[in-house]
Amino acid sequence: MNYRPLGRTGWKVSDISFGAWAIGGAWGSVSDDESLAALNKAIDSGVNFIDTADVYGDGRSERLIAKLKKSRKEEIIVATKAGRRLPKQTVEGYNRHNLTLWLDDSLTNLATDCLDLVQLHCPPTGLYDQPEAFGMLDDFVKAGKIRYYGVSVEKVEEALKAIEYPNVQTVQIIFNCFRQKPAEVFLPRAKQKKVGVLARVPLASGLLTGKLRSDSKFAKDDHRNFNRHGEAFDVGETFSGVDYGTGLKAVDEIRALLPAGVSMSQFALRWILMFDGVTCAIPGGKTPQQVVDNCTASAVAALSPQTMAGVKKIYDTCIHPLVHDRW
Ligand SMILES: NC(=O)c1ccc[n+]([C@@H]2O[C@H](COP(=O)([O-])OP(=O)(O)OC[C@H]3O[C@@H](n4cnc5c(N)ncnc54)[C@H](OP(=O)(O)O)[C@@H]3O)[C@@H](O)[C@H]2O)c1
């Protein structure tokens, strides 16, 4: 496993880290035993950073991570999120009272007295024009409730606004072979400002693992079923906002670029790590096998310029018209 500095925090985190949404909920049924096995395999493989949120299974993901931490001696840095408990996303909802309640819940679930990193969970765009909101986060740091804070964003324009705030340490954004816009302006600027970047949805919700087919079925309580068209939350979070059929065709084209011995998931993750403005990818892992496959990406040799150009061409031809100007 390789490690990269996380912004100005002083932490060095595994370039393949762990996304803990699926072990909480919204991805079909998962057993806590299997999830703990996946988490333990991640730590065995050198992962030292886990991304979660208060709302993943209403605290279930955070509580599993607390259990993991109790049973392991390694340092494990946990990034959680706050804001999605609001019944409706409004700028006003991100107030001191609500934030205090959400952070207290996360402190309890994670069984700690100080949260390592708290990210605002895709707040409305207008929040980035409210310095008071970031001032409140500074107060939580001063009070010792949180060590650092950052944001998770939907759009590149939000990411660019967020990093103008001096104490924003991290930005979490969708970045993968099907979501290349952050590479244009945002990643170089984040690098220049020493802001950590967490690349989320790195496997495009499983599409970029190469295992999905036109007749693949998803459980009723899996967002790949119930949020295909953005019925429950931003459609960009499901298959990166790429329509399923187009995604499958593009994956077939990418498959032709794989170096010998490299799995499709490893390729997709290694592609992300080719960008030095990225701190880590946070693939979701439901089983120990998936985690091992994903962690192997850290050691895969750099992709050739021809291969990178090949992925760009597939993006420009098939995907760009669908997503580039939306997020
Ligand atoms: N708004 C936000 O802030 C936000 C939104 C989305 C995600 N996130 C964060 O980003 C993390 C990653 O994104 P994501 O979980 O949505 O999507 P993802 O990482 O692109 O896809 C994860 C899913 O792909 C499948 N998978 C993973 N590795 C595999 C492998 N090696 N082989 C085959 N299948 C594999 C698993 O589902 P199956 O086995 O069921 O196919 C897994 O749940 C989340 O866990 C969460 O921490 C944050």
Side-chain angles (χ1 to χ4, degrees):
M1 181 63 75
N2 294 301
Y3 299 82
R4 297 185 182 185
L6 182 68
R8 289 109 48 214
T9 63
W11 285 318
K12 280 189 138 194
V13 300
S14 43
D15 58 8
I16 300 297
S17 288
F18 188 98
W21 181 17
I23 64 166
W27 286 80
S29 89
V30 283
S31 88
D32 285 354
D33 285 347
E34 185 81 330
S35 298
L36 276 169
L39 284 166
N40 273 296
K41 186 56 85 178
I43 306 307
D44 295 342
S45 310
V47 168
N48 70 347
F49 182 74
I50 301 176
D51 176 73
T52 184
D54 53 356
V55 289
Y56 294 167
D58 194 14
R60 181 186 183 194
S61 174
E62 289 183 327
R63 286 190 293 273
L64 280 168
I65 293 164
K67 209 165 177 184
L68 170 83
K69 282 192 73 166
K70 206 168 164 202
S71 70
R72 302 287 307 218
K73 60 181 184 335
E74 295 87 345
E75 185 187 24
I76 302 171
I77 300 158
V78 181
T80 192
K81 309 191 197 78
R84 288 278 142 181
R85 291 208 184 274
L86 284 175
K88 187 171 177 285
Q89 285 294 309
T90 59
V91 170
E92 300 70 42
Y94 287 77
N95 57 48
R96 197 176 297 271
H97 173 77
N98 283 342
L99 277 164
T100 304
L101 292 178
W102 300 330
L103 296 182
D104 284 347
D105 267 0
S106 287
L107 286 166
T108 305
N109 287 332
L110 284 164
T112 183
D113 49 15
C114 182
L115 300 168
D116 293 331
L117 175 68
V118 170
Q119 306 154 95
L120 299 182
H121 200 163
C122 295
T125 309
L127 192 91
Y128 298 99
D129 299 320
Q130 305 286 324
E132 314 81 68
F134 295 88
M136 271 187 287
L137 292 170
D138 288 330
D139 292 344
F140 288 123
V141 173
K142 278 188 212 120
K145 246 188 207 322
I146 66 181
R147 283 193 182 87
Y148 297 108
Y149 64 83
V151 294
S152 181
V153 302
E154 299 289 8
K155 298 185 191 133
V156 168
E157 71 179 268
E158 295 165 343
L160 289 169
K161 282 186 171 188
I163 62 176
E164 290 303 314
Y165 289 98
N167 296 328
V168 166
Q169 297 284 350
T170 57
V171 171
Q172 180 177 140
I173 191 163
I174 300 182
F175 182 57
N176 62 39
C177 298
F178 287 174
R179 193 65 88 81
Q180 300 196 16
K181 188 172 175 176
E184 292 177 349
V185 177
F186 169 64
L187 290 181
R189 198 170 299 168
K191 186 182 166 204
Q192 185 197 7
K193 284 185 166 284
K194 291 199 170 59
V195 173
V197 174
L198 320 184
R200 79 165 180 270
V201 195
L203 299 169
S205 315
L207 262 178
L208 286 167
T209 67
K211 71 176 177 184
L212 299 181
R213 300 155 36 116
S214 56
D215 59 356
S216 295
K217 295 269 178 283
F218 303 99
K220 257 204 161 88
D221 55 348
D222 185 327
H223 71 102
R224 293 170 294 185
N225 185 345
F226 69 76
N227 196 50
R228 263 296 162 105
H229 308 288
E231 295 89 334
F233 44 80
D234 194 297
V235 69
E237 305 296 348
T238 303
F239 300 130
S240 284
V242 174
D243 91 78
Y244 192 66
T246 307
L248 288 177
K249 271 194 223 128
V251 166
D252 271 344
E253 291 191 31
I254 292 178
R255 218 187 290 275
L257 301 172
L258 296 199
V262 175
S263 76
M264 184 73 200
S265 307
Q266 291 160 11
F267 180 86
L269 296 170
R270 189 63 184 91
W271 181 89
I272 293 170
L273 299 182
M274 289 299 292
F275 297 83
D276 62 1
V278 168
T279 308
C280 60
I282 49 168
K286 283 168 143 179
T287 65
Q289 295 91 306
Q290 289 182 353
V291 168
V292 168
D293 186 16
N294 297 340
C295 287
T296 303
S298 182
V300 166
L303 305 180
S304 70
Q306 293 84 336
T307 303
M308 292 303 286
V311 177
K312 178 81 168 55
K313 189 162 173 228
I314 295 164
Y315 174 79
D316 285 342
T317 320
C318 314
I319 308 292
H320 183 293
L322 299 174
V323 306
H324 204 79
D325 298 327
R326 294 181 71 187
W327 292 281

